[in-house]
Amino acid sequence: MEQVKINGELVHVKGYGSRHLSQDAVKELIQQSQEAKKQAYCPYSKFRVGAALLTLDNCVITGCNVENACYNLGVCAERNAISKAVSEGYRSFKAIAIASDLNDQFISPCGGCRQFMREFGLNWNVYLSKPDGSHLKMTVNELLPVSFGPEDLSMDKVFDIPNEY
Ligand code: THU
C-alpha cells in the first residue's frame, strides 16, 4: 500500500505508485477534489470548484476557487492548488482532478488554468469530473495544444536584446 500525503497528513492509498493511476486512485483523487469544492468561497458566482493535485512523490494538494468583491481578483481552484503545491516545494505533478456542481457536464478548466498547468509540463493528466464521479481524462497538452511554455523563452531569437534595453 502506498503512502500518500493529503494536505500535509500521511494516509495510505493503493495504486498511486507509478505515473499510471489505478481506477481506485483516480476515484480517490476525484473525491478529494469534491471535498476541496466544499471550501469554495464563491459568494458572487455561486459556482463552486475544487481541485486535487497529485505530485510525483504522491502528495495530494487541494485548492478551491476564492472570489473577491473586486471581481477580477478571484482565483480559480486549479491555480490555487498549483500555487499551494509550488510554495510547498512541489513542481512535478502526475495529475489534477477538478470538481464542480455541474450535473451534466465535465468541468472544463479555464484558459488561464490550462496555461498554469502547462508551466509544469505537457504530459500529465487532468481529470475533468462530474458530481457523480464520472470523468474525462485529458493530458495538459490535449487541453492546450501548440502552447507557449518556459522552453520557448530560451529558443534562438533574431535579436539578442542587451540587458540595459
Ligand atoms: N472557476 C474555477 O475555479 N475553475 C475553473 O476551471 C473554471 C472557473 C471558478 C472561477 C470563478 O470563481 C467561478 O468558477 C466562476 O467562473
Side-chain angles (χ1 to χ4, degrees):
M1 193 107 51
E2 301 294 331
Q3 278 200 329
V4 176
K5 242 188 195 175
I6 299 176
N7 287 337
E9 209 175 302
L10 268 183
V11 296
H12 297 271
V13 183
K14 260 195 211 153
Y16 273 131
S18 67
R19 250 182 196 274
H20 171 82
L21 298 194
S22 68
Q23 294 265 55
D24 281 352
V26 173
K27 197 173 158 197
E28 178 87 21
L29 198 64
I30 290 172
Q31 274 168 4
Q32 279 149 10
S33 70
Q34 290 171 343
E35 273 305 301
K37 182 181 73 177
K38 294 180 186 166
Q39 305 295 341
Y41 176 73
C42 53
Y44 309 109
S45 71
K46 316 261 193 250
F47 191 91
R48 301 188 304 167
V49 185
L53 180 63
L54 180 64
T55 70
L56 201 58
D57 45 358
N58 297 321
C59 291
V60 176
I61 293 175
T62 60
C64 64
N65 53 333
V66 180
E67 298 184 347
N68 194 277
C70 180
Y71 290 178
N72 60 335
L73 293 181
V75 186
C76 293
E78 301 90 320
R79 253 180 283 179
N80 268 333
I82 293 170
S83 295
K84 273 175 72 181
V86 171
S87 50
E88 296 292 332
Y90 304 102
R91 293 182 183 181
S92 300
F93 307 116
K94 286 184 184 174
I96 187 168
I98 315 167
S100 83
D101 295 315
L102 291 175
N103 246 331
D104 304 320
Q105 227 167 288
F106 300 108
I107 178 67
S108 180
C110 79
C113 287
R114 293 175 194 212
Q115 181 68 33
F116 224 73
M117 293 169 195
R118 190 263 172 265
E119 181 72 16
F120 301 98
L122 287 164
N123 293 313
W124 52 291
N125 294 321
V126 186
Y127 293 93
L128 322 183
S129 79
K130 287 184 193 172
D132 65 4
S134 59
H135 59 270
L136 194 65
K137 173 183 161 185
M138 296 182 76
T139 63
V140 172
N141 193 40
E142 284 168 337
L143 284 166
L144 193 69
V146 204
S147 62
F148 182 83
E151 306 82 14
D152 294 298
L153 290 173
S154 48
M155 293 291 183
D156 267 359
K157 287 182 272 182
V158 176
F159 295 111
D160 251 337
I161 297 177
N163 270 346
E164 60 272 21
Y165 180 81

